[in-house]
Amino acid sequence: MRFQVVVEVRGRAGIADPEGQTIERALPALGFSGASSVHVGKVVRFDLEASGQSAAEQEAREMCDRLLANPVIEEADVTVRPAEPGP
Amino acid sequence: MRFQVVVEVRGRAGIADPEGQTIERALPALGFSGASSVHVGKVVRFDLEASGQSAAEQEAREMCDRLLANPVIEEADVTVRPAEPGP
């Protein structure tokens, strides 16, 4: 079965987020005054061939631990759903 | 009202995605053989104070066009939902 995987990687609480801070400072200068707590992360999307939903989730989680995220400073959310059938 | 905004920015179709290609080549070397179509993007999360859902969506969309994404090479998905009440 084919699954669509979305991995969102973001810095752990307390880890500096200079890109988020820069955006937060820049928005008021552009006239946007209501934004706060800006955080920037990374998102990795891919298709995954696996035997089932739980196998796909486990494999994606292992990919995070070994390649996609640095667990010392980052945390990752993994979302797996069955791929829509192609045309 | 306070809203939570999630903006996902990714390269348009046809724009080179070297980070995604690198991940796609690296995964088989780590023993993960089932992944394909790997794409890497950016995600920006923030809180937004606005008068209502549609106002928040419009403001977040304008932020994308003016700062968060480069519309020439990137496309952005904006998700706005009411913030959960704090503790």
Side-chain angles (χ1 to χ4, degrees), chain B residues 60-83:
Chain B
R61 173 56 60 186
E62 285 172 20
M63 290 176 183
C64 282
D65 293 340
R66 296 193 56 198
L67 179 68
L68 304 179
N70 176 349
V72 176
I73 57 168
E74 293 172 328
E75 55 190 6
D77 279 341
V78 176
T79 309
V80 175
R81 60 170 185 230

Side-chain angles (χ1 to χ4, degrees), chain A residues 8 34 36 39 41 43 45 47, chain B residues 8 36 39 41 43 45 47 49:
Chain A
E8 186 181 331
S36 59
H39 294 286
V43 61
R45 289 178 172 268
D47 294 338
Chain B
E8 186 181 331
S36 59
H39 293 286
V43 61
R45 289 178 173 268
D47 294 338
E49 197 69 43

